[in-house]
Every structure is written in C-alpha cells, then in structure tokens.
Amino acid sequence: MPYGPKRLRGAAAVLLCVAVLGGCTSAPDRFCGRLRQDYRLLDLSEAIEHHDRAAMQRAVSRLRDLQDVAPESVFNDMRSVIDALEAAIDAVVRSPDPNADPSVSTGPPIDTIRVSKLLAEARRPAQDLATYADRECGLDLST
C-alpha cells in the first residue's frame, strides 16, 4: 500500500509520540526532564507538512541531544527510533513538494517500501521507550 506525505507524517508523529514524550538529578530524571522540556512534536509535524528541511533538521538535532542524555537502558532504543525517523524525514525531503507546481519535478517519489520497513523496525524500540517512560518517568504514553 503506497504511503503519501500525509500518511508518512502520521506514522512519524506516532513514532515520535511513543518514542520521546517524557518526568531531575539522576540519569533517568535528567532524561525525563529533558523530554518534557525540549520535545516539540507539533514543530516537527508542521515542518514535514511544509517540507521545511531546516526545521526538520533542528527537530532531529533536538532528539539527538535527548539521546545523548538517555540512560544506557534506552540509549539504543532512542537511537533506533531517531534513525528510522531521520530516514523517513530524508525520504520526505527528497520527494517532490506536494505544494509545488506538479509540472516541475523536484525529486524522486518517496520510497514507500523502504520507509515502511524502517518505521516497522522502529516499533519495538518505540514501545520499549514507552514502557521506560511509564516505569521511570511516570508517563503513560498510551493515551
């Protein structure tokens, strides 16, 4: 089933929501506190929608900064989720802008098979992060 930019944004938003929502001197407290302070899903969603490469890169950079303070128990999960998200964002950035003149080719179409595979591979690490957030940060990410 092909994935358009809207569906990709939705998948990225779900992964981000599960992965990086987060509750401040221990490593887990610092990580949870930074998640609460720095996480901006709306910014990333809008950046994807508007093909704003600079805003997408800033959002991924913030996520990488969060990964840097992630406790060892979730560091690799965080990396897996961010890597998948970054690859999905790259596919969107390289694809034609849906708001542009359709007669002007600006890039290859989104490789939906690759993006779907990357996002599917990130589901387990994203769930592990959600479990961590619940257990260590007192955050229920299922709602």
Side-chain angles (χ1 to χ4, degrees):
M1 173 188 288
Y3 290 92
K6 284 185 181 180
R7 195 154 189 195
L8 179 60
R9 282 193 310 271
V14 168
L15 273 178
L16 275 176
C17 187
V18 170
V20 295
L21 284 176
C24 266
T25 46
S26 70
D29 285 343
R30 281 192 306 274
F31 180 67
C32 293
R34 286 282 306 274
L35 288 174
R36 285 190 174 128
Q37 290 174 357
D38 297 339
Y39 177 67
R40 289 177 183 67
L41 177 60
L42 182 59
D43 291 350
L44 179 59
S45 180
E46 288 176 358
I48 291 170
E49 182 176 344
H50 293 55
H51 273 230
D52 185 342
R53 171 175 253 171
M56 286 185 254
Q57 289 173 336
R58 284 190 304 271
V60 170
S61 178
R62 281 194 309 266
L63 293 174
R64 291 284 181 204
D65 289 345
L66 290 172
Q67 178 191 353
D68 290 343
V69 298
E72 185 177 329
S73 61
V74 292
F75 183 87
N76 289 332
D77 292 326
M78 187 86 179
R79 184 189 69 226
S80 295
V81 170
I82 296 169
D83 287 350
L85 180 61
E86 195 168 36
I89 287 170
D90 184 56
V92 170
V93 168
R94 288 184 293 118
S95 70
D97 184 341
N99 301 316
D101 181 352
S103 66
V104 178
S105 177
T106 58
I110 295 172
D111 182 350
T112 58
I113 294 171
R114 179 174 176 267
V115 170
S116 296
K117 182 180 176 190
L118 289 167
L119 295 176
E121 289 172 357
R123 282 189 190 119
R124 177 62 184 211
Q127 183 55 52
D128 291 345
L129 281 167
T131 300
Y132 179 91
D134 181 49
R135 185 182 66 240
E136 299 295 329
C137 305
L139 300 170
D140 181 4
L141 303 181
S142 65
T143 56

